């Protein structure tokens, strides 16, 4: 679907007299796109060039000269397109395929080649920064939700590694005359894994493919797989970007817990690309995983229907947070999303130009070991959750917070404990802003650090009476309070109350 959009956009640009640059992340995908574009433009006087490490030096020089003088209409390439030696005659459209594989500087490089150039970025799983910009209205977003005819959802199995299950999955695929992707993302041991598979699945034709191979060896391995001379391709995540092998309908991934959400969805998209049912086996170690890895695997297992890429990208945005619109960060904390930074700067500049006083907003850091979030069952829609996180992070006064709490209760019912703790953290930030405190954090597990803080004599007397063992460092303007044992169930309320008593304002009354 995405490739069809790219071909038609390129046709529109070329027929209007402009050049098109198609940027792809891998040499294999560049070759595949080149074949597709040449086939579609076969009846038109359109010259197509390719720039990648697979292209011989003589052909590369011819393509560069054609791009510079305008005789090459469409150039498809990897990062080689971004080299300083590439000069366009009249660039009108940049197509970035699998944009999640490129950094911000890569994508901005082509835009700077001309003052005005149209950009079409395509991805089944856009990075958080790009998705946030689309949701915020900075970029336009179009979603393809209609699957190809006869396409079936991929059956996704997430489980601890089981060699017997691996052998069974490969044998079952070979029995229906299909092919298998086996992802082992470690170049150092990939040949050993391929040899072992040859022992446990005798008779299977096995090849290896990874990005550190010689160009011709990699090309040969992939061509043999396309031409069905190989049954099992043992490879790294090099296959994740857009490859179309309709006969390959079983995917096996070792150590899926080490891969990102976008990678997992992209890899799963390599199978089930025909009318045959596809199977994806995502294995993880038997021992415990990190909480974030568990969240990723649970998300990929739950969202297996066709067209679930946007939902997965939304979940990725929620887990990792958005990046910065005016910076290079492609993910970050939800409390500091890029669009908020942009609108805040814009608001300040408008106020300054209009001669109005500019109210400086301070960054307040609260690092407390509490489970504070909006549970998915409470607020099911990812986009709504993200919007609520953003609004809570932007709260600066008690009245706004009360309105937001009332809206939550009205729309979704009584909040569960994690949601109540999230609004309590927002209330604490309102208090900290009022008291001029920039940071509240638990250190060494049993101490609360507060800074900057200045206590008068009466407050210091209260500190000695209420918190024996507290440390006040006037030079560093820092206060360290011992946490009570056992630790309070509602740590946020304890922090608000303790600071309210010391600073002469009750936390409850101020909030």
């Amino acid at each position: 679907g995405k490739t069809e959009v790219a071909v038609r956009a390129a046709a529109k640009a070329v027929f209007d007299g402009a050049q098109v640059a198609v940027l792809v992340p891998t040499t294999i995908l560049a070759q595949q796109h080149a074949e597709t574009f040449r086939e579609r433009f076969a009846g038109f006087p359109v010259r197509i060039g390719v720039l990648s490490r697979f292209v011989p030096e003589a052909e590369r020089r011819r393509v560069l000269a054609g791009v510079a003088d305008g005789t090459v209409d469409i150039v498809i390439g990897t990062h080689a397109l971004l080299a300083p030696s590439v000069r366009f005659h009249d660039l009108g459209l940049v197509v970035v395929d699998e944009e999640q594989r490129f950094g911000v500087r890569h994508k901005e490089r082509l835009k700077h080649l001309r003052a005005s150039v149209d950009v079409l970025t395509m991805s089944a799983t856009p990075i958080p920064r790009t998705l946030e910009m689309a949701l915020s209205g900075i970029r336009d977003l179009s979603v393809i939700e209609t699957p190809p005819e006869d396409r079936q959802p991929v059956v996704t199995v997430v489980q601890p590694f089981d060699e017997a299950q691996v052998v069974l999955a490969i044998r079952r695929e070979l029995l229906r005359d299909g092919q298998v992707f086996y992802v082992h993302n470690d170049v150092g041991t990939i040949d050993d894994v391929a040899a072992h598979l040859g022992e446990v699945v005798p008779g299977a034709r096995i090849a290896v493919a990874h990005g550190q191979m010689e160009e011709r060896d990699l090309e040969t391995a992939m061509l043999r797989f396309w031409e069905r001379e190989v049954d099992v391709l043992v490879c790294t995540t090099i296959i994740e970007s857009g490859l179309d092998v309709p006969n390959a309908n079983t995917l096996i991934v070792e150590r899926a817990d080490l891969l990102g959400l976008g990678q997992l969805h992209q890899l799963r998209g390599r199978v089930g690309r025909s009318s045959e049912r596809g199977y994806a086996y995502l294995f993880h170690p038997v021992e415990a995983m990190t909480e974030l890895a568990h969240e990723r695997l649970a998300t990929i297992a739950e969202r297996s229907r066709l067209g679930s890429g946007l939902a997965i990208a939304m979940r990725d945005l929620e887990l990792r947070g958005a990046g910065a619109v005016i910076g290079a960060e492609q993910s970050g904390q939800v409390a500091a999303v890029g669009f908020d930074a942009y609108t805040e700067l814009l608001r300040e500049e408008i106020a300054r130009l209009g001669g109005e006083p500019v109210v400086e907003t301070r960054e307040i850091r609260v690092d407390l070991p509490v489970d504070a979030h909006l549970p998915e069952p409470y607020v099911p829609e990812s986009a709504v959750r993200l919007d609520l996180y953003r609004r809570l992070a932007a709260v600066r006064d008690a009245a706004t917070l009360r309105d937001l709490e009332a809206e939550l209760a009205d729309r979704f019912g009584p909040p569960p404990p994690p949601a109540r703790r999230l609004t309590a953290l927002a209330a604490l930030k309102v208090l900290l802003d009022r008291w001029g405190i920039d940071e509240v954090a638990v250190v060494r597990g049993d101490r609360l650090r507060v800074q900057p803080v200045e206590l008068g004599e009466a407050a210091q007397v209260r500190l000695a009476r209420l918190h024996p063992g507290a440390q006040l460092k006037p030079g560093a303007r820092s206060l360290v309070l011992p946490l009570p044992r056992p630790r309070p169930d509602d740590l946020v309320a304890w922090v608000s109350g303790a600071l309210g008593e010391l600073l002469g304002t009750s936390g409850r009354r101020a909030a």
Side-chain angles (χ1 to χ4, degrees):
K2 298 194 301 294
T3 306
E4 180 66 20
V5 172
V7 169
R8 295 188 180 211
K12 181 72 172 68
V14 170
F15 298 156
D16 283 346
Q19 289 177 296
V20 178
V22 182
L23 182 63
V24 298
T26 63
T27 51
I28 298 171
L29 188 55
Q31 295 297 109
Q32 186 169 297
H33 272 349
E35 292 177 15
T36 302
F37 274 68
R38 282 169 180 155
E39 179 183 333
R40 294 296 301 277
F41 285 97
F44 301 94
V46 176
R47 187 178 174 194
I48 298 169
V50 179
L51 288 176
S52 75
R53 65 189 180 101
F54 280 2
V55 177
E57 184 58 31
E59 173 65 17
R60 174 186 168 82
R61 284 197 296 268
R62 281 196 295 271
V63 171
L64 287 175
V67 170
D69 64 22
T71 55
V72 170
D73 302 296
I74 301 174
V75 58
I76 302 167
T78 57
H79 293 74
L81 269 181
L82 306 173
S85 58
V86 180
R87 294 282 187 271
F88 287 92
H89 176 70
D90 184 16
L91 181 63
L93 173 67
V94 174
V95 179
V96 183
D97 197 10
E98 306 294 342
E99 68 89 28
Q100 79 282 354
R101 295 291 301 276
F102 294 96
V104 173
R105 290 186 182 89
H106 295 144
K107 286 174 281 194
E108 298 298 317
R109 165 82 176 91
L110 284 174
K111 289 171 64 178
H112 289 313
L113 295 177
R114 281 199 61 204
S116 176
V117 61
D118 293 327
V119 181
L120 170 64
T121 59
M122 306 188 300
S123 173
T125 51
I127 56 171
R129 177 183 186 268
T130 301
L131 185 57
E132 167 67 14
M133 291 170 74
L135 294 173
S136 304
I138 295 177
R139 287 188 175 176
D140 294 326
L141 172 70
S142 295
V143 181
I144 301 174
E145 292 186 330
T146 305
E149 191 175 358
D150 297 329
R151 181 73 63 87
Q152 302 180 63
V154 176
V155 176
T156 305
V157 179
V158 178
Q159 66 175 64
F161 185 81
D162 181 356
E163 188 173 275
Q165 179 70 66
V166 170
V167 174
L168 180 63
I170 294 176
R171 288 191 182 280
R172 185 165 51 202
E173 186 60 46
L174 297 187
L175 281 174
R176 60 174 184 171
D177 198 27
Q179 294 168 279
V180 179
F181 286 117
Y182 189 100
V183 178
H184 175 82
N185 206 30
D186 184 349
V187 174
T189 56
I190 195 168
D191 291 318
D192 297 335
V193 169
H196 181 67
L197 280 179
E199 296 172 2
V200 296
V201 191
R205 298 169 297 176
I206 299 172
V208 173
H210 58 79
Q212 294 183 22
M213 294 171 66
E214 290 292 331
E215 290 93 335
R216 295 307 165 199
D217 294 340
L218 177 57
E219 188 176 22
T220 300
M222 295 306 301
L223 282 173
R224 290 181 62 209
F225 192 65
W226 278 326
E227 293 168 1
R228 303 192 185 185
E229 296 176 8
V230 169
D231 299 316
V232 181
L233 185 69
V234 182
C235 53
T236 59
T237 54
I238 189 175
I239 65 162
E240 79 175 76
S241 298
L243 288 187
D244 187 10
V245 186
N247 196 53
N249 287 302
T250 291
L251 168 75
I252 298 170
V253 182
E254 287 185 3
R255 294 307 304 266
D257 58 305
L258 299 180
L259 302 179
L261 255 183
Q263 279 184 305
L264 290 171
H265 183 65
Q266 294 283 353
L267 286 170
R268 183 172 63 181
R270 297 314 103 215
V271 296
R273 301 180 71 86
S274 64
S275 58
E276 294 286 343
R277 171 75 74 178
Y279 293 86
Y281 296 89
L282 308 179
F283 291 112
H284 58 81
V286 178
E287 61 266 20
M289 294 180 290
T290 65
E291 184 179 348
L292 197 56
H294 181 272
E295 287 274 2
R296 290 196 297 264
L297 291 176
T299 299
I300 206 76
E302 292 164 4
R303 293 169 170 83
S304 59
R305 66 175 180 82
L306 294 171
S308 58
L310 183 61
I312 288 172
M314 295 283 284
R315 180 62 174 153
D316 195 25
L317 172 58
E318 184 177 347
L319 287 174
R320 294 198 290 156
V325 172
I326 53 177
E329 295 79 11
Q330 304 202 101
S331 63
Q333 297 301 316
V334 173
V337 289
F339 189 59
D340 284 349
Y342 172 79
T343 52
E344 187 65 26
L345 287 170
L346 185 62
R347 182 190 62 77
E348 291 180 5
E349 187 62 22
I350 291 172
R352 188 175 290 110
L353 291 172
E356 300 174 8
V358 178
V359 180
E360 298 291 339
T361 56
R362 297 180 302 106
E363 186 66 32
I364 299 173
R365 176 173 174 262
V366 177
D367 187 3
L368 300 177
V370 295
D371 180 17
H373 68 285
L374 296 174
E376 192 169 342
Y378 181 58
V379 184
E381 291 292 328
S382 298
V384 177
R385 280 201 306 277
L386 289 168
D387 180 60
L388 290 170
Y389 280 132
R390 186 162 46 236
R391 291 170 62 190
L392 279 166
V395 166
R396 289 292 179 266
D397 59 80
T400 304
L401 180 59
R402 281 195 297 271
D403 291 342
L404 195 49
E405 287 176 320
E407 181 184 336
L408 274 174
D410 182 55
R411 292 174 67 181
F412 308 105
R420 287 200 300 271
R421 284 190 285 269
L422 186 65
T423 55
L425 278 174
L428 175 59
K429 282 193 172 185
V430 171
L431 288 170
L432 297 178
D433 188 37
R434 182 175 302 176
W435 293 326
I437 294 173
D438 293 336
E439 180 188 27
V440 170
V442 171
V443 292
R444 299 201 303 271
D446 61 351
R447 295 284 188 275
L448 183 77
R449 184 178 64 211
V450 184
Q451 58 187 20
V453 64
E454 294 180 0
L455 299 180
E457 292 183 6
Q460 292 184 36
V461 171
R462 284 197 300 274
L463 174 65
R465 174 171 54 84
L466 296 171
H467 303 281
Q471 299 176 350
L472 180 62
K473 302 174 183 177
R477 302 177 67 198
S478 176
L479 171 65
V480 178
L481 299 176
L483 292 176
R485 296 190 180 188
R487 185 176 291 178
D489 291 335
D490 194 341
L491 184 59
V492 180
W494 184 87
V495 171
S496 298
L499 294 180
E501 287 176 313
L502 290 175
L503 299 171
T505 309
S506 110
R508 179 173 297 179
R509 189 172 74 244

